Amino acid sequence: DNLQAGILNFRLKKLKKVINTRRYNSNLYRRYLNSKNVFVPQEKIQEFNTYHTFVIQVKNRDKLKKFLKKKSINTSIHYPIPIHLQPAAKRFGYKKGDFPVTENQSSQILTLPINQFTTHKQIKYICGIINKFYNNS
């Protein structure tokens, strides 16, 4: 309808700035997170990620998630169950162990805040908390 079209037109005008801010934020995470403890997939030259999510891979993911929650840092676990183990894929007959890399990743992935309203200061704080968690483990 007209109202939705008006809102979309308003948002489309800001899209380039939103994407640039999220890309900037992703670089801040890369700068401040200790790569010894946190794996962040690198963006390939032929890719252009808009970072609607920022997913890291870590050991002790569930403990880290709880630790961050206590510090009022909300995170998510996108895709906690690998696709081949989802009910919709049951007809293909895959079972646990058929895709060990995927299954390992699904137990380690954690999505951090990255929207265009997340500030440099907030990202530095989040990274400091994550680094502290692993330095004290």
Side-chain angles (χ1 to χ4, degrees):
D1 65 15
N2 288 340
L3 180 60
Q4 289 176 334
I7 292 169
L8 182 59
N9 279 335
F10 175 78
R11 293 191 69 192
L12 281 173
K13 290 176 186 171
K14 297 177 179 259
L15 185 59
K16 187 173 183 177
K17 183 178 180 189
V18 167
I19 291 170
N20 286 339
T21 301
R22 289 177 181 214
R23 289 179 61 80
Y24 174 77
N25 286 348
S26 75
N27 286 325
L28 292 176
Y29 275 121
R30 283 185 175 82
R31 181 187 321 166
Y32 294 123
L33 286 170
N34 184 338
S35 62
K36 283 184 1 189
N37 303 311
V38 180
F39 175 73
V40 179
Q42 290 297 313
E43 185 175 332
K44 295 178 176 83
I45 293 172
Q46 69 273 20
E47 297 174 339
F48 185 85
N49 197 325
T50 59
Y51 295 99
H52 73 287
T53 60
F54 188 81
V55 181
I56 61 173
Q57 294 178 38
V58 292
K59 303 283 186 203
N60 300 313
R61 187 254 335 259
D62 295 335
K63 287 181 183 178
L64 174 61
K65 183 171 177 42
K66 286 179 188 173
F67 184 74
L68 292 172
K69 182 72 172 170
K70 286 180 186 176
K71 303 288 186 182
S72 298
I73 300 169
N74 291 318
T75 60
S76 297
I77 300 172
H78 289 83
Y79 318 111
I81 300 171
I83 292 173
H84 67 285
L85 299 176
Q86 295 281 342
K90 190 174 185 170
R91 65 182 176 183
F92 298 114
Y94 296 120
K95 60 189 178 308
K96 190 172 174 102
D98 285 346
F99 297 96
V101 173
T102 300
E103 292 168 27
N104 185 52
Q105 285 179 329
S106 75
S107 71
Q108 295 183 0
I109 58 174
L110 185 66
T111 303
L112 302 179
I114 189 140
N115 69 53
Q116 63 273 21
F117 305 110
T118 309
T119 67
H120 186 139
K121 184 178 180 180
Q122 290 169 325
I123 291 173
K124 193 171 184 178
Y125 172 75
I126 292 166
C127 293
I129 296 296
I130 292 170
N131 293 336
K132 180 180 179 180
F133 173 83
Y134 285 104
N135 288 337
N136 292 336
S137 294

